[in-house]
């Protein structure tokens, strides 16, 4: 089953579904789901492969969103160059943060990333000329795809976002199913053993962190163009929590898990938007349920179910 | 794996019910609309919920009822949503409403940062935005739009009303406590300009986050500036907290006075006359002004926990009514939002809330403003009997003159 | 000069809350090895408990100071017994995620029921008014907050560091099996510890109610600063978290005078610096 997942069939199936979807479902909702799916996959790279739970990934998401919004709106850069530069900026931020945070593990790592993310949040709040403070950066032009395709309409924008998502997913999948990924998993399993085998553990962790940060930035930068807005919510710790939730729900360490988690959460929140307060409660309830009874997430549970076959239910 | 794929498709089809109508095709501008939908986008549970919120929804419903409930043979629907004072939530809701749910006009939107985002979106989609909640003059200034009408009040009117009055009565050195978003910044900017133009000085300012919980450190800075007047460039729950904290720290006893630049009757109600007496405020609507305003208030109050309407809620009523009248004059088809607003400009407006008024080229609705002072507890004879009139301000004086406007739509 | 003193005073008041909250966090982390993300929510619960007791039962401030922590402490015991206990064998990150989820549920539930803008809570009449200290007018209630906080922190520290019960607690942190072999009911101790931590958070909530307004979001942003305080002080150190809490309040106050824009971030900058140069925290044991 795992080998089948690594093959091209599930990927092709996903592509088909996602290509057909905007004709039946509101494209902006789908684009939101795709951006968050990318965010979750990038996050999962760090959590699932290396075993590091970062509680501050929103800082990369937010900073990239602000950067691409500013570059497009104030500096007149095209959509694609703006996104590319913002992703680069995220990677650099990831390098700085990673260098500080990698020194510790487990809970300490989570706390450090949370604290640093909160610092970035307040910097975003204060740097009004760049971020607009509470107003955010508004009226970001959708722009064109390298001058050729107008991204103002929802459908062309959707396919652009889809392309970005699929390409990034490919990068993540490639990194995961590679010798590099094997080392990461070895580090997660037993770090001292990996060290004794001669691997420079910290360097690998840092590379994974930077990659995760960069792709998170890509998601944030793209999202800024979808909604034509970059706001403080993007850098808030609740967004960090949200991506943890999506990954946990979808299945940590699973290739497709975070995608399910992201889509499910985005759709759920969309339908519950009328009942504002319930969304928070539901998020919390899903967290609690997943941690207590559903640690493998959707993808994990589905996998073990399929492995054991129907009719046999084991815990 | 097939099971998973089926599950995904099933989930996708479930989402379809909202999307089926639009089905990814262009906005149904040419098709015959099935109803007239009015979207009240407001703060339902946060710091502006009392001055707008559910009251605004009721005001919109009242306007629809007074209009007759139908436009031609189209029913009129009122929908509402909570933007939680966040631009991303507000703009997503607005976008969804216009793309998928067939909402033709968005009203209210307290919180200027959300309003600016919504105004931009409405312009893109060519619908109509009737803004009675926000205050930033940018809505009719650099961010003006042919699809937006700014009702009720703006920061220039407040600065001109309250600011000028306070300076003229001796408060010539100011320190601002400003809510750090579009509205607060605009209010500080406009009031500073009035203070300086009237011969006063601005000694400094400090910005606080929206919905701050503790004002002690900001107020202490205001205190150490030794300015005669501490200008509160915030609103709703923020101003209530700031006034309370100022009393707690003895700031007013120390000789400095507070100038609340945007206060609503719901805030006075929450503060109590003991704390609020003597405050100057500028408003477009006070329920006890004349027979018409009293009649409107007595219809409104039972629907909203016996609260009297604020100018924001009154503005929702007036703007919706005028919109419907304009659309009726144009004929029933939805058509272009800009065209409807042009018609709204053509027709003079009249309603029990603002009396007679008109809309300018930059989208500014013109009407009289009023400067009031909050009564002392002894002077008040009934609940909500809070204000005494200081003076009337004509529309020409209250709002930014057109020749000073930076709106690109205004031809000089 | 006056500005500095008055801001330092405000900072000290804020520091009292940081100290109380980080004390509870440090205790829970020390014994349970759980980062209690729900601490902010328990703080909010304490404030709401006080408010509800007043609104619906007419119970005033002074009884609430005892009742609210008691009630929330019981809630903490229930949480530990029913949910946290199952996760001790798992990766400690799950404990963090569980408490995070609980925090969200609490925040959302209170928002739904009471709206997000907050309820007023009156300062008790005995503590109203202010004292003119010359350089600043100090509201009496805020002085009480500082005194109460110092007293409680001191009492708890004494209990843990200097009494037999505290010694048992500290021993159980290092070697639960051995302590169990001595006949001590370790699981019960753990449960009560969590309850005590929750009660401390709730006490901070009751103290905060008249100052900060009782709102569903009051714990949410406060808690992250408190995390940073605990990291700076040293994750398991009781003394470290108390001292860091007060110290950080003062540092924040000073920053407000010197460089107001940096007052939100100074805590995190310090945290980053501590982590680079002394990862175990200022008072923590080397990892």
């Amino acid at each position: 089953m795992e080998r089948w997942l690594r093959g091209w069939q599930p990927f092709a199936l996903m592509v088909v579904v996602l290509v057909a979807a905007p004709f039946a479902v509101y494209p902006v909702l789908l684009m939101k789901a795709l951006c968050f799916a990318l965010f979750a996959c990038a996050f999962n790279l760090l959590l699932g492969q290396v075993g590091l739970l970062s509680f501050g990934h929103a800082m990369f998401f937010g900073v990239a969103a602000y950067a691409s919004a500013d570059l497009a709106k104030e500096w007149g850069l095209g959509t694609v160059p703006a996104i590319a530069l913002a992703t680069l900026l995220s990677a650099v931020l990831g390098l700085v943060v990673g260098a500080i945070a990698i020194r510790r593990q487990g809970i300490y790592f989570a706390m450090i990333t949370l604290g640093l993310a909160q610092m970035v949040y307040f910097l975003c709040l204060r740097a009004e000329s760049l971020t607009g403070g509470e107003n955010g950066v508004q009226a970001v032009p959708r722009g064109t795809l390298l001058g050729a395709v107008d991204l103002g309409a929802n459908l062309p924008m959707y396919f652009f976002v889809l392309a970005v998502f699929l390409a990034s997913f490919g990068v993540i999948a490639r990194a995961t199913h590679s010798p590099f990924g094997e080392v990461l998993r070895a580090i997660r399993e037993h770090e001292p053993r990996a060290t004794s085998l001669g691997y420079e553990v910290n360097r690998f962790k840092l590379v994974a962190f930077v990659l995760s940060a960069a792709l998170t930035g890509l998601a944030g930068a793209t999202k800024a163009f979808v909604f034509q807005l970059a706001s403080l919510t993007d850098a808030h710790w609740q967004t960090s929590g949200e991506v943890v939730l999506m990954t946990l729900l979808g299945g940590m360490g699973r290739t497709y898990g975070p995608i399910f988690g992201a889509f499910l959460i985005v759709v759920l929140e969309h339908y519950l938007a009328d009942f504002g307060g319930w969304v928070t409660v539901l998020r919390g309830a899903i967290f609690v349920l997943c941690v207590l009874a559903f640690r493998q997430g959707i993808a994990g549970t589905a996998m073990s179910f399929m492995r054991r076959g129907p009719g046999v239910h084991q815990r | 794996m097939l099971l998973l794929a089926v599950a995904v498709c099933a989930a996708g089809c479930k989402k379809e019910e909202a999307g089926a109508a639009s089905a990814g095709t262009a906005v149904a501008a040419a098709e015959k609309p099935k109803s007239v939908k009015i979207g009240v986008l407001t703060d339902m549970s946060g710091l502006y919920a009392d001055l707008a919120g559910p009251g605004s929804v009721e005001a919109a419903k009242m306007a629809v009822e007074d209009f007759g409930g139908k436009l031609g043979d189209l029913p009129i629907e009122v929908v509402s949503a909570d933007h939680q004072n966040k631009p991303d939530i507000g703009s997503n809701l607005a976008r969804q409403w216009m793309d998928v749910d067939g909402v033709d006009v968005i009203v209210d939107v307290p919180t200027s940062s959300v309003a600016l985002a919504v105004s931009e979106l409405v312009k893109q989609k060519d619908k109509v935005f009737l803004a009675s909640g926000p205050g930033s003059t940018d809505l009719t200034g650099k961010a003006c739009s042919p699809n937006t009408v700014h009702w009720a009040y703006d920061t220039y009117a407040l600065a001109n009303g309250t600011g000028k009055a306070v300076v003229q009565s001796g408060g010539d050195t100011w320190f601002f406590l400003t809510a750090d978003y579009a509205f607060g910044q605009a209010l500080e900017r406009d009031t500073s300009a009035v203070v300086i133009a009237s011969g006063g000085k601005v000694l400094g300012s400090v910005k606080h986050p929206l919905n701050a919980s503790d004002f002690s450190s900001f107020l202490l800075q205001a205190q150490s500036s030794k300015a005669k007047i501490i200008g509160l460039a915030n609103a709703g729950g923020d101003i209530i907290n700031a006034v309370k904290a100022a009393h707690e720290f003895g700031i007013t006893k120390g000789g400095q006075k507070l100038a609340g630049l945007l206060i609503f009757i719901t805030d006075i109600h929450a503060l109590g006359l003991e704390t609020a007496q003597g405050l100057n405020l500028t408003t477009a609507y006070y329920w006890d002004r004349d027979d018409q305003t009293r009649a409107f208030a007595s219809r409104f109050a039972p629907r909203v926990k016996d609260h009297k309407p604020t100018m924001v809620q009154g503005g929702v009523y007036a703007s919706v009514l005028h919109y419907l009248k304009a659309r009726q004059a144009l004929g029933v088809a939805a058509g272009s939002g800009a065209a409807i607003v042009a018609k709204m400009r053509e027709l003079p407006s009249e309603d029990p809330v603002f009396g007679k008024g008109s809309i300018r080229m930059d989208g500014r609705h013109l009407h009289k403003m009023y400067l009031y002072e909050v009564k002392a507890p002894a002077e008040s004879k009934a609940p909500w009997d809070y204000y005494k009139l200081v003076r009337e301000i004509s529309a020409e004086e209250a709002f930014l003159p057109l020749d000073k406007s930076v709106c690109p739509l205004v031809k000089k | 000069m006056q500005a500095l003193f008055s801001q330092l005073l405000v900072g000290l008041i804020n520091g009292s809350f940081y100290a109380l909250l980080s004390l509870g966090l440090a205790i829970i982390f020390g014994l349970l090895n759980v980062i209690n993300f729900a601490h902010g929510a328990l703080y909010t619960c304490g404030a709401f408990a006080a408010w509800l007791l007043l609104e619906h039962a007419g119970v005033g401030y002074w009884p609430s100071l005892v009742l609210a922590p008691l009630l929330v402490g019981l809630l903490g015991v229930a949480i530990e017994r029913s949910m946290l206990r199952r996760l001790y064998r798992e990766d400690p990150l799950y404990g963090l995620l569980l408490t995070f989820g609980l925090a969200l549920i609490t925040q959302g539930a209170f928002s739904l029921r009471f709206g997000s803008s907050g309820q007023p809570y009156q300062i008790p009449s005995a503590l109203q008014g202010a004292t003119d200290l010359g350089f600043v007018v100090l509201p009496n209630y805020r002085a009480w907050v500082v005194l109460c906080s110092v007293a409680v922190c001191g009492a708890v520290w004494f209990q843990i560091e200097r009494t037999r019960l505290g010694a048992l607690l500290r021993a159980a942190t290092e070697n639960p099996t051995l302590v169990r072999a001595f006949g001590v009911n370790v699981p019960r101790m753990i449960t009560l510890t969590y309850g005590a931590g929750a009660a401390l958070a709730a006490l901070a909530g009751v103290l905060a109610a008249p100052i900060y307004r009782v709102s569903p979001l009051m714990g949410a942003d406060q808690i992250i600063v408190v995390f940073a305080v605990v990291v700076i002080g040293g994750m398991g150190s009781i003394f470290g978290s108390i001292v860091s809490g007060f110290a950080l309040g003062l540092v924040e106050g000073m920053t407000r005078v010197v460089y107001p824009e940096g007052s939100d971030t100074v805590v995190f900058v310090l945290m980053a610096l501590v982590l680079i140069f002394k990862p175990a925290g200022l008072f923590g044991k080397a990892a």
Side-chain angles (χ1 to χ4, degrees), chain B residues 78-367:
Chain B
V78 173
V79 296
S80 64
D82 184 358
H83 64 49
Q84 299 179 43
N85 302 315
K86 298 204 173 102
D88 50 307
I89 298 186
S91 71
N92 284 352
L93 281 166
R95 186 190 292 268
Q96 164 94 8
W97 266 354
M98 291 185 285
D99 276 349
V100 179
D101 298 327
V103 169
D104 306 304
V105 53
I106 298 184
V107 306
D108 198 9
V109 193
T111 312
S112 298
S113 43
V114 184
L116 287 166
V118 170
S119 181
E120 176 66 33
L121 261 180
V122 167
K123 185 167 73 173
Q124 270 181 34
K125 314 262 173 197
D126 199 18
K127 301 282 187 182
V128 179
F129 176 33
L130 304 172
S132 23
S136 172
T137 35
D138 289 342
L139 276 170
T140 50
K142 62 180 185 191
C144 69
S145 138
N147 298 65
T148 297
V149 183
H150 194 181
W151 229 277
Y153 71 103
D154 62 26
T155 49
Y156 183 89
L158 298 172
N160 234 5
T162 314
K164 210 190 262 184
V166 171
V167 175
Q168 283 169 350
S169 65
D172 54 4
T173 53
W174 285 60
F175 186 93
F176 285 100
L177 179 60
T178 306
D180 197 9
Y181 74 115
F183 160 73
Q185 295 151 0
L187 191 51
E188 185 192 323
R189 178 189 70 212
D190 289 341
T191 312
S192 294
V194 167
V195 167
I196 294 173
S198 309
K201 276 201 309 194
V202 177
L203 299 179
S205 76
V206 67
K207 295 205 169 73
H208 72 79
L210 190 61
N211 211 10
S213 51
D214 180 36
F215 283 88
S216 45
S217 62
F218 307 113
L219 283 166
L220 285 174
Q221 285 183 49
Q223 192 177 41
S224 62
S225 75
K226 306 251 191 300
K228 285 190 199 155
I229 304 289
I230 302 178
L232 300 171
N234 48 20
D238 280 342
I239 205 170
I240 296 177
N241 288 344
V243 171
K244 279 205 177 134
H247 278 263
E248 215 191 308
F249 275 86
I251 290 182
T252 36
K253 289 212 190 80
Q256 287 170 302
K257 285 179 102 172
L258 300 172
L261 295 163
L262 176 61
I263 310 190
F264 295 89
I265 197 165
T266 40
D267 303 325
I268 306 295
H269 190 72
L271 280 170
L273 286 179
E274 184 63 46
T275 317
Q277 60 186 307
L279 278 172
N280 274 336
L281 57 97
T282 308
T283 181
Y285 171 82
Y286 173 49
W287 69 273
D288 204 12
R289 189 177 76 227
D290 59 37
D291 289 329
Q292 291 216 318
T293 58
R294 277 188 282 271
F296 178 73
S298 56
R299 286 172 51 207
F300 178 89
R303 299 165 82 127
V304 190
K305 292 193 279 193
D306 263 344
H307 282 202
K308 298 288 187 219
T310 62
M311 65 173 159
V312 169
Q313 293 155 341
V316 170
Y317 174 86
S319 57
V320 169
L321 200 57
H322 195 60
Y323 168 84
L324 291 170
K325 286 188 187 148
R327 239 183 109 165
Q328 187 168 56
L330 271 180
V332 161
S336 146
I340 301 178
V341 172
K343 194 71 185 170
M344 288 173 78
R345 280 201 289 269
E346 216 185 298
L347 301 170
S349 76
E350 180 158 7
D351 54 76
V353 177
F354 300 106
K356 291 199 171 60
S358 63
I359 303 176
R360 261 186 351 198
M361 194 64 223
D362 57 351
R364 177 70 244 164
H365 183 266
L366 298 171
H367 48 262

Side-chain angles (χ1 to χ4, degrees), chain A residues 43 46 52-60 106-107 109-118 209 235-245 287, chain C residues 35 37 93 96-101 104 224 227:
Chain A
F43 175 80
L46 202 59
L52 290 170
L53 173 68
S54 155
F55 230 103
H57 255 50
M59 63 178 140
F60 307 117
I107 294 203
F109 178 80
M111 289 295 102
I112 296 168
T113 50
L114 179 57
L116 291 172
Q118 196 66 350
F209 192 87
H236 197 261
W237 57 264
Q238 283 216 326
T239 305
S240 291
E242 189 140 352
V243 75
V244 177
L245 179 64
F287 251 116
Chain C
I35 295 276
F37 226 110
L93 286 173
L96 182 135
L97 292 176
L98 176 77
T99 50
F100 183 72
L104 284 178
I224 306 197
F227 281 145

Side-chain angles (χ1 to χ4, degrees), chain A residues 40-41 43-44 47-48 53 55 240-254 257-262 264-265 283-301, chain C residues 87 93-101:
Chain A
C41 286
F43 175 80
N44 190 35
L47 180 60
L53 173 68
F55 230 103
S240 291
E242 189 140 352
V243 75
V244 177
L245 179 64
M246 290 175 184
T247 311
L248 185 64
L249 179 63
M252 297 192 293
R254 303 284 172 187
I259 305 178
F260 284 122
L264 206 66
I265 297 285
R283 271 200 212 124
I286 297 180
F287 251 116
V288 171
L289 271 165
C290 281
V291 169
L292 286 178
F294 200 50
R295 247 161 267 147
Q296 296 170 305
I298 296 177
T301 314
Chain C
L87 297 173
L93 286 173
Y94 282 117
L96 182 135
L97 292 176
L98 176 77
T99 50
F100 183 72

Side-chain angles (χ1 to χ4, degrees), chain C residues 57-137:
Chain C
V59 176
Y61 176 81
W62 299 102
S64 293
L65 264 182
V66 174
L67 267 176
L70 212 64
L71 286 169
V72 176
L74 283 171
L75 177 66
V77 165
I79 293 175
E80 197 278 339
R81 268 251 146 108
S82 58
M83 291 184 261
L84 268 177
R85 181 168 284 201
R86 303 194 195 184
L87 297 173
Y88 293 149
R89 253 172 270 136
E90 308 285 342
D91 193 317
L93 286 173
Y94 282 117
L96 182 135
L97 292 176
L98 176 77
T99 50
F100 183 72
L102 289 172
L104 284 178
I105 295 180
T106 321
Q107 193 181 311
F110 278 128
S111 283
L112 267 176
R113 180 70 187 78
F114 299 107
S116 59
S117 67
Q119 317 289 337
Y121 190 88
Q122 279 293 69
I123 298 179
S125 43
L127 289 170
Q128 278 176 10
T131 322
D132 194 338
L133 294 175
F135 57 88
V136 75
V137 173

Side-chain angles (χ1 to χ4, degrees), chain A:
Chain A
M1 168 89 340
E2 280 89 348
R3 195 176 288 159
W4 185 78
L5 268 181
R6 248 180 254 195
W8 60 268
Q9 282 113 324
F11 185 74
L13 187 63
M14 180 175 76
V15 172
V16 165
V17 170
L18 289 174
V19 164
F23 299 101
V25 181
Y26 183 39
V28 177
L29 181 65
L30 286 173
M31 286 193 269
K32 182 177 184 188
L34 279 177
C35 288
F36 275 96
L38 175 55
F39 189 3
C41 286
F43 175 80
N44 190 35
L45 182 66
L46 202 59
L47 180 60
Q49 301 305 313
V50 192
L52 290 170
L53 173 68
S54 155
F55 230 103
H57 255 50
M59 63 178 140
F60 307 117
F61 194 72
V63 165
Y66 278 123
S68 62
D70 273 333
L71 287 169
K73 185 178 177 197
E74 306 291 333
W75 293 41
L77 241 65
T79 310
V80 174
I83 295 182
L85 272 176
T87 308
L88 196 62
L89 183 64
S90 264
V92 170
L93 183 63
L95 190 62
V96 172
V97 171
I100 304 177
I102 293 285
R103 294 151 176 266
R104 308 285 272 150
Q105 288 155 324
I107 294 203
Y108 298 91
F109 178 80
M111 289 295 102
I112 296 168
T113 50
L114 179 57
L116 291 172
Q118 196 66 350
M119 189 160 78
V120 170
Y121 173 80
F122 280 116
L123 286 172
C124 289
L125 178 61
R126 294 289 175 185
E128 273 179 48
S129 47
L130 286 174
T131 63
E134 298 257 2
N135 304 322
V137 179
Q138 302 187 0
V140 177
R142 281 258 184 95
T144 64
L145 181 61
L146 300 172
V149 182
D150 174 34
L151 294 170
N154 283 336
L155 264 186
M157 186 72 203
Y158 174 82
F159 284 111
F160 172 64
V161 173
L162 181 61
V164 168
F165 170 75
L166 290 173
S168 314
F169 181 80
V171 168
I172 295 176
R174 197 71 193 83
T176 311
H177 304 127
S178 71
F180 174 70
E182 295 287 349
V183 177
L184 291 180
R185 283 188 288 279
I187 296 175
R188 183 192 68 196
E189 297 286 323
H190 203 288
E191 190 167 324
R193 192 193 297 151
T195 317
S196 72
L197 283 172
Y199 289 108
E200 282 215 45
V201 166
N202 277 343
R203 190 171 290 179
F204 275 90
K205 282 201 225 172
L206 190 58
V207 171
F209 192 87
V210 171
L211 187 59
S212 176
L215 289 170
T216 302
L218 180 59
T222 314
K223 190 223 77 132
F225 283 101
V226 171
F227 291 113
Q228 300 179 268
L229 176 70
S231 72
L232 280 175
T233 315
D234 300 333
H236 197 261
W237 57 264
Q238 283 216 326
T239 305
S240 291
E242 189 140 352
V243 75
V244 177
L245 179 64
M246 290 175 184
T247 311
L248 185 64
L249 179 63
M252 297 192 293
R254 303 284 172 187
T255 323
Y256 293 92
I259 305 178
F260 284 122
F263 268 81
L264 206 66
I265 297 285
V266 168
V267 168
L268 213 60
E269 292 188 358
H270 171 76
Y271 277 98
L272 290 178
D274 283 343
F275 309 102
W278 286 107
V279 176
T280 316
V281 176
L282 198 66
R283 271 200 212 124
I286 297 180
F287 251 116
V288 171
L289 271 165
C290 281
V291 169
L292 286 178
F294 200 50
R295 247 161 267 147
Q296 296 170 305
I298 296 177
T301 314
M303 289 281 290
S304 52
F305 186 71
M306 261 176 285
R307 217 180 293 135
R308 293 188 175 103
V312 180
H313 181 61
Q314 280 177 28
R315 237 321 288 122

